[in-house]
Amino acid sequence: MSKRTRQAAKWDGEFGRRYTERNPQSVAELDQLRRERQFGVTQTALFERLLGDLDRDVRILEVGSNVGVQLQCLAELGFENLYGIDIQAYAVRQCHEQFPELNVVEGDALDIPFKDEFFDLVFTSGTLIMIPPERIETALDEVVRCSRRYVLGQEPYAEQYTEVTYRGVEEMFWKTDFAEKYL
């Protein structure tokens, strides 16, 4: 197992718990956030556009699933084999209470607890931004290792690594060209 980062410890504590509590708890809330404040389109519409042609029995993993709202969105679109990992024990417990049909476990993007090529699609959404630049290659390697076919990233973009101060906290978020990093 990889050495746990300072950021991971913070996410698994009170900082992460507060983050979970103020973020969407339902697909309707997520769709509203995406449409009104982020992308101008719902997460449901994005998934339909990006994944609409995939068989509904493909195996999908979300790395950094939090309470599982995006996985639930995929379930509502008919996808059946949905898995998630999150570093935050509280978020995983909340997921089990809200969406007991989802397969979500505690796990770290730096050491994904699944075998090689176990999934048809592995995705992140606002997860890679939380991994320190010196550890990002490990996380990307883990995502690729677990996917036999597709990788999807929905991450904040910057041409070069840029630190983002979040709620007055530094050294917790970095945006970059994650697609380029995968390549």
Side-chain angles (χ1 to χ4, degrees), residues 44-175:
T44 300
L46 286 171
F47 279 150
E48 286 176 329
R49 188 173 306 153
L50 294 169
L51 307 176
D53 292 337
L54 290 180
D55 289 335
R56 293 316 195 235
D57 64 347
V58 297
R59 201 175 303 150
I60 298 174
L61 171 66
E62 181 180 11
V63 177
S65 58
N66 201 266
V67 298
V69 175
Q70 292 192 106
L71 292 171
Q72 183 59 34
C73 181
L74 290 169
E76 290 178 11
L77 290 172
F79 290 96
E80 299 172 2
N81 297 304
L82 302 170
Y83 298 77
I85 65 167
D86 201 276
I87 203 158
Q88 187 191 146
Y90 174 74
V92 172
R93 285 191 307 274
Q94 293 299 107
C95 178
H96 292 162
E97 289 176 20
Q98 274 185 263
F99 309 115
E101 68 282 2
L102 295 178
N103 301 302
V104 175
V105 297
E106 285 184 56
D108 190 326
L110 301 174
D111 189 20
I112 297 174
F114 293 99
K115 65 183 182 178
D116 296 359
E117 299 183 359
F118 188 71
F119 299 96
D120 299 290
L121 166 70
V122 178
F123 78 97
T124 64
S125 181
T127 299
L128 298 179
I129 190 173
M130 301 173 187
I131 297 171
E134 65 273 10
R135 302 298 303 274
I136 197 64
E137 284 186 34
T138 300
L140 299 177
D141 288 347
E142 279 293 280
V143 167
V144 170
R145 177 187 67 76
C146 291
S147 178
R148 83 174 62 126
R149 189 148 191 208
Y150 302 109
V151 169
L152 173 64
Q154 186 173 298
E155 301 289 338
Y157 172 82
E159 287 185 17
Q160 59 188 13
Y161 261 108
T162 305
E163 184 177 342
V164 178
T165 300
Y166 178 73
R167 296 187 174 258
V169 178
E170 295 181 352
E171 296 185 354
M172 287 295 289
F173 288 93
W174 300 266
K175 59 184 177 178

